[in-house]
Amino acid sequence: MASKQLFRALVSAQWVAEALRAPRAAQPLRLLDASWYLAKLGRDARREFEERHIPGAAFFDIDQCSDRTSPYDHMLPSAAQFSEYVGRLGVGTATHVVVYDASDQGLYAAPRVWWMFRVFGHRTVSLLNGGLRNWLRQGLPLSSGKSCPEPAEFHAVLDPAYIKTYEDIKENIESRRFQVVDARAAGRFRGTEPEPRDGIEPGHIPGTINIPFTDFLTEDGLEKSPEEIRRLFQDKKVDLSLPLVATCGSGVTACHVALGAYLCGKPDVPIYDGSWVEWYMRAQPEDVISEGRGKTH
């Protein structure tokens, strides 16, 4: 089975606590707090990091490490920008990166950073299962203050196979070369609940399947088992033996779909980076499917 050769996508809080107690020189560990929140939540992820984080962690800012020239939210940076950014956070070519966030869900934005490392050719990257929420529940140690990691040298090489563009998605409406799963909440997908961004109406891309990202998580905020995730895909009529692409609002929670597929032994799920924000802004009104207002011009 392919999954046996895949680098482990999840590590437990106990594994991280042990790795911090007994570091291995052969494969240095770098923890990254990738907390990010929609503006309407009013949370300041960097300030929260400085108040409390897992010892040795550095803060990864998804908005900072992005293509700042794009009109769309936190689109992928160039390979050179990514290399420089993560190098400053102390990530080198040999580093085992473990990403987490401090969301109420357990994991929210961290899978985006897990995916970014893989896009740029770094395979030794894992997620802390359950995030900071589970770390706190287990009563494990915390630190505070700014982080000052020792810079390292990182060489990113972009793998375009992990990314889909607006043009790819538009062409797929006719060709149906790949399945598309949207990870937003059901109301936003159907067009009955508002989008969190001004000027963007809810709805979905024609032919997409809705699996809200929270469906991949247990009530405790841990990732569901591969068996449960496989059943989730089956129930939604998603065939993991066929090409699959993930989308969401702005390319963050879509990465939960890619993670779920990876845990089922399918590591090749690209993300539509522009996701719904780009689609809504660029698509013709007939390509915005909604039970609500949709797009009128």
Side-chain angles (χ1 to χ4, degrees):
M1 252 264 320
S3 55
K4 291 207 169 35
Q5 288 106 49
L6 297 178
F7 193 79
R8 62 184 178 281
L10 297 171
V11 292
S12 69
Q14 291 299 339
W15 184 94
V16 171
E18 192 52 47
L20 291 174
R21 272 197 296 269
R24 287 169 52 207
Q27 189 168 53
L29 181 69
R30 168 59 62 200
L31 284 159
L32 297 178
D33 181 325
S35 299
W36 175 89
Y37 306 104
L38 290 163
K40 65 171 190 172
L41 288 177
R43 289 181 68 170
D44 183 334
R46 189 181 288 275
R47 187 179 55 73
E48 288 183 22
F49 171 84
E50 289 174 10
E51 286 170 2
R52 64 176 189 186
H53 56 259
I54 297 173
F59 184 74
F60 187 109
D61 187 329
I62 286 174
D63 288 325
Q64 198 70 38
C65 185
S66 69
D67 176 2
R68 309 297 289 281
T69 65
S70 173
Y72 313 114
D73 296 346
H74 39 250
M75 298 285 275
L76 274 178
S78 68
Q81 287 171 310
F82 188 80
S83 295
E84 187 194 352
Y85 186 83
V86 303
R88 284 204 312 268
L89 297 183
V91 177
T93 310
T95 306
H96 178 191
V97 179
V98 173
V99 195
Y100 74 93
D101 63 54
S103 65
D104 296 339
Q105 292 90 345
L107 288 178
Y108 174 66
R112 167 76 183 188
V113 176
W114 170 81
W115 171 76
M116 287 174 77
F117 272 101
R118 294 173 60 246
V119 171
F120 287 113
H122 194 73
R123 295 291 176 262
T124 53
V125 57
S126 307
L127 287 154
L128 171 59
N129 198 5
L132 186 66
R133 175 183 164 186
N134 187 51
W135 183 270
L136 293 171
R137 191 167 56 225
Q138 299 203 24
L140 292 162
L142 292 167
S143 288
S144 61
K146 290 181 167 64
S147 66
C148 302
E150 193 169 319
E153 196 146 323
F154 188 91
H155 297 288
V157 180
L158 177 72
D159 184 347
Y162 281 100
I163 306 157
K164 290 293 184 203
T165 64
Y166 171 81
E167 290 74 20
D168 294 329
I169 303 295
K170 186 170 168 53
E171 194 272 335
N172 189 64
I173 292 174
E174 295 298 328
S175 68
R176 298 296 172 99
R177 291 175 210 261
F178 47 82
Q179 308 160 95
V180 183
V181 169
D182 188 323
R184 288 174 301 151
R188 290 171 61 189
F189 178 85
R190 287 169 45 204
T192 57
E193 288 176 14
E195 282 293 307
R197 293 167 181 83
D198 292 340
I200 306 293
E201 291 293 328
H204 61 268
I205 300 162
T208 49
I209 298 159
N210 185 213
I211 308 181
F213 81 93
T214 47
D215 286 3
F216 293 94
L217 302 169
T218 69
E219 284 183 12
D220 289 335
L222 299 168
E223 195 71 19
K224 286 181 178 174
S225 70
E227 294 71 33
E228 289 172 296
I229 293 171
R230 205 171 276 115
R231 200 156 51 242
L232 175 62
F233 280 124
Q234 284 170 351
D235 289 348
K236 298 284 187 163
K237 306 286 190 287
V238 175
D239 188 340
L240 291 179
S241 70
L242 298 174
L244 171 62
V245 172
T247 184
C248 59
S250 63
V252 174
T253 61
C255 299
H256 284 259
V257 178
L259 171 64
Y262 185 100
L263 293 170
C264 295
K266 184 178 181 65
D268 58 352
V269 174
I271 303 298
Y272 170 26
D273 199 21
S275 281
W276 182 247
V277 170
E278 181 185 31
W279 186 262
Y280 182 82
M281 288 171 74
R282 295 182 64 183
Q284 294 300 311
E286 63 269 22
D287 288 334
V288 170
I289 309 299
S290 175
E291 295 172 28
R293 276 179 58 184
K295 187 174 180 177
T296 53
H297 58 276

